Amino acid sequence: MSSAMESSYLPATTESIEKAQEAKDASESISILYRVIQDPSSSADALRIKELAITNLTNYLTKENRAEDLRNLLTQLRPFFSLIPKAKTAKIVRGIIDAVAKIPGTSDLQISLCKEMVEWTRAEKRTFLRQRVEARLAALLLENQEYTEALTLLTGLIKEVRRLDDKLLLVDIDLLESKLHFSLRNLPKAKASLTAARTAANAIYVPPAQQGTIDLQSGILHAEEKDYKTAYSYFFEAFEAFNALDDPRAIFSLKYMLLCKIMVNHADDVAGIISSKASLKYVGPDVDAMKAVADAYSKRSLKYFETALRDYKAQLEEDPIVHRHLSSLYDTLLEQNLCRLIEPYSRVEIEHVAQMIELPVDHVEKKLSQMILDKKFAGTLDQGAGCLIIFEEMKTEAIFPATLETISNVGKVVDSLYMRSAKIMA
């Protein structure tokens, strides 16, 4: 515990709050606010002032990146929570957990803090707060890729919340479950959970941020099914919602919109979208990365494509959704280029093909081998000579299938006649 907490308390009055605000530095303000919280008075005015002191103290501790102190503050405030309404307790607890989340590198601390609060709320029988903290814990576990624990937690929570018919929380939990199943590559269950979230959302008023989250997840699932036009519509809706709220997720929606345009062979539209009034304020590395990919795709240049992937690794390869679709796009582009280059040859050196396509020899050799196995063209690799041998495709004469069909029909007629004659003879 801080030494400030052990010193004498200050009365929970407006003057004490003002004194904290006028302090010369943050440490002194924090010390004063700790002492205000220690005031044993439980009058209505004192409780109100203490709530304000807690809010201010949370803000100061967040600015100072004192995550462990915020965690200790939650433990210290437990006796105080018994004096105020449960709704206010829930607001303070969630506020402090949100404050810890703003401090970088506190993922593990947030998980342990949520687990502590779940235990406390369970002991205190505060169901409303416990369910929300559990939902937050599941989201943190999902971010940490602890999928099994998150799924176990969500399964029990969904059953409980459905019984209580808490639609707003149900939307959050169903969305979480959809994201979790998508991460586990279980697309049917991800779609089912999203449909459940939409059904619950249709019955109540959903805040714009939550509606944007639903649209964003819908777009991601449609893009996964290669329905890029529908996905674009959902990403656009999500972008408008997040943009109006200045939500940082707006940049991801914009990035996925540009991705959809590239995937449907409309890379030329990317420049127009970027230069629109709403998109201009998001110009930065993420948008530049998608512009570089669009330019490479328009020029059908694998070299430019690889340069974009290398220069914008954080924006492209480290974003799992963009990376998955760009990998598919890169493979398609590579196959198209290779097929075009080897078309005039019956035998060609792999090194020559690599020089023409401006890619490493081993990379080209591996891809050609894969294309032969996938029957993209007929050929073989002579690795001793370092050559690719392309076979001429055997043209099947149209008369052969027709002849086989005629023989088959004659056979059926003969069998039928034999059966009839057998019956007559009997």
Side-chain angles (χ1 to χ4, degrees):
M1 290 272 178
S2 171
S3 58
M5 288 187 276
E6 293 167 1
S7 58
S8 59
Y9 68 84
L10 280 174
T13 60
T14 310
E15 289 76 21
S16 297
I17 299 293
E18 288 172 357
K19 185 179 177 183
Q21 290 171 342
E22 291 164 4
K24 63 178 183 291
D25 58 31
S27 296
E28 190 179 337
S29 299
I30 289 167
S31 177
I32 292 167
L33 291 168
Y34 266 126
R35 290 168 66 192
V36 171
I37 294 168
Q38 296 298 307
D39 185 355
S41 173
S42 57
S43 65
D45 285 341
L47 292 175
R48 182 176 54 80
I49 295 295
K50 280 198 250 186
E51 285 172 34
L52 182 58
I54 290 164
T55 304
N56 291 353
L57 179 57
T58 302
N59 292 336
Y60 279 120
L61 290 173
T62 307
K63 285 176 187 173
E64 293 291 302
N65 288 345
R66 288 164 63 172
E68 198 60 51
D69 286 348
L70 282 166
R71 177 185 186 168
N72 293 336
L73 177 62
L74 260 183
T75 307
Q76 184 205 348
L77 290 174
R78 287 178 186 179
F80 173 70
F81 291 149
S82 62
L83 303 173
I84 61 173
K86 288 184 177 181
K88 285 188 176 179
T89 299
K91 184 182 175 184
I92 292 169
V93 169
R94 290 163 72 186
I96 292 174
I97 292 172
D98 288 342
V100 175
K102 291 175 186 174
I103 300 171
T106 57
S107 182
D108 291 337
L109 179 67
Q110 288 177 64
I111 289 172
S112 63
L113 177 58
C114 285
K115 285 179 178 177
E116 279 178 19
M117 290 313 298
V118 166
E119 290 302 316
W120 178 75
T121 50
R122 204 183 294 279
E124 294 285 315
K125 295 182 179 166
R126 294 174 183 252
T127 307
F128 177 87
L129 178 56
R130 176 180 56 76
Q131 289 168 346
R132 276 147 185 80
V133 175
E134 282 186 333
R136 182 59 174 269
L137 176 58
L140 289 167
L141 291 169
L142 176 60
E143 281 177 27
N144 260 29
Q145 298 183 355
E146 295 176 29
Y147 301 131
T148 308
E149 192 177 347
L151 188 58
T152 305
L153 182 61
L154 281 176
T155 305
L157 191 57
I158 285 174
K159 288 177 184 174
E160 190 179 343
V161 174
R162 280 203 178 122
R163 279 202 306 271
L164 295 171
D165 203 30
D166 186 343
K167 290 278 196 295
L168 196 58
L169 181 57
L170 197 56
V171 173
D172 275 337
I173 296 169
D174 282 330
L175 264 174
L176 265 176
E177 191 182 35
S178 178
K179 290 175 185 176
L180 177 59
H181 285 306
F182 177 74
S183 300
L184 292 169
R185 317 296 305 128
N186 191 336
L187 203 57
K189 283 194 174 181
K191 287 169 67 181
S193 298
L194 182 63
T195 304
R198 283 191 170 281
T199 305
N202 287 339
I204 54 165
Y205 167 74
V206 176
Q210 201 170 33
Q211 186 58 54
T213 309
I214 293 171
D215 289 332
L216 183 62
Q217 182 66 8
S218 299
I220 289 168
L221 294 183
H222 278 283
E224 189 66 20
E225 293 183 314
K226 313 293 183 192
D227 184 1
Y228 294 110
K229 287 186 179 179
T230 308
Y232 178 85
S233 303
Y234 279 119
F235 288 138
F236 181 73
E237 293 290 335
F239 174 69
E240 287 200 320
F242 293 143
N243 182 43
L245 297 166
D246 288 327
D247 191 303
R249 287 175 292 177
I251 186 66
F252 293 106
S253 303
L254 177 59
K255 192 158 77 166
Y256 300 155
M257 280 166 60
L258 300 176
L259 175 69
C260 288
K261 283 293 180 186
I262 296 167
M263 296 304 289
V264 293
N265 206 16
H266 290 167
D268 295 338
D269 294 349
V270 167
I273 295 169
I274 292 171
S275 59
S276 67
K277 187 180 176 183
S279 305
L280 279 173
K281 66 178 179 180
Y282 298 104
V283 170
D286 286 287
V287 173
D288 290 344
M290 297 314 295
K291 190 172 185 295
V293 171
D295 289 343
Y297 187 74
S298 297
K299 293 170 183 172
R300 292 288 189 272
S301 170
L302 282 165
K303 187 181 178 183
Y304 290 151
F305 202 106
E306 289 214 323
T307 303
L309 290 175
R310 188 171 59 252
D311 292 348
Y312 298 100
K313 187 176 180 181
Q315 289 77 25
L316 300 175
E317 292 200 4
E318 291 176 17
D319 183 327
I321 291 156
V322 173
H323 177 63
R324 189 177 295 123
H325 294 290
L326 287 188
S327 296
S328 166
L329 186 68
Y330 178 79
D331 283 344
T332 305
L333 200 57
L334 179 56
E335 285 176 9
Q336 287 173 352
N337 275 266
L338 285 171
C339 285
R340 182 169 51 82
L341 289 171
I342 65 174
E343 193 176 7
Y345 301 99
S346 59
R347 183 184 178 94
V348 61
E349 286 186 354
I350 298 168
E351 191 176 347
H352 179 60
V353 176
Q355 284 173 356
M356 287 193 292
I357 206 166
E358 297 179 307
L359 287 174
V361 176
D362 59 337
H363 191 129
V364 172
E365 187 177 342
K366 186 179 176 183
K367 189 62 189 174
L368 287 170
S369 172
Q370 186 185 330
M371 288 170 70
I372 292 168
L373 290 171
D374 291 342
K375 298 185 179 177
K376 297 289 168 75
F377 68 90
T380 185
L381 289 170
D382 184 346
Q383 289 181 316
C387 289
L388 170 70
I389 301 164
I390 299 108
F391 304 139
E392 283 189 26
E393 288 189 25
M394 297 292 290
K395 290 184 181 178
T396 309
E397 293 289 340
I399 195 168
F400 294 153
T403 305
L404 287 170
E405 190 179 353
T406 305
I407 292 168
S408 175
N409 289 336
V410 169
K412 288 175 185 176
V413 170
V414 171
D415 288 343
S416 177
L417 289 171
Y418 174 76
M419 294 292 289
R420 287 184 182 183
S421 64
K423 283 179 184 177
I424 293 167
M425 292 296 289

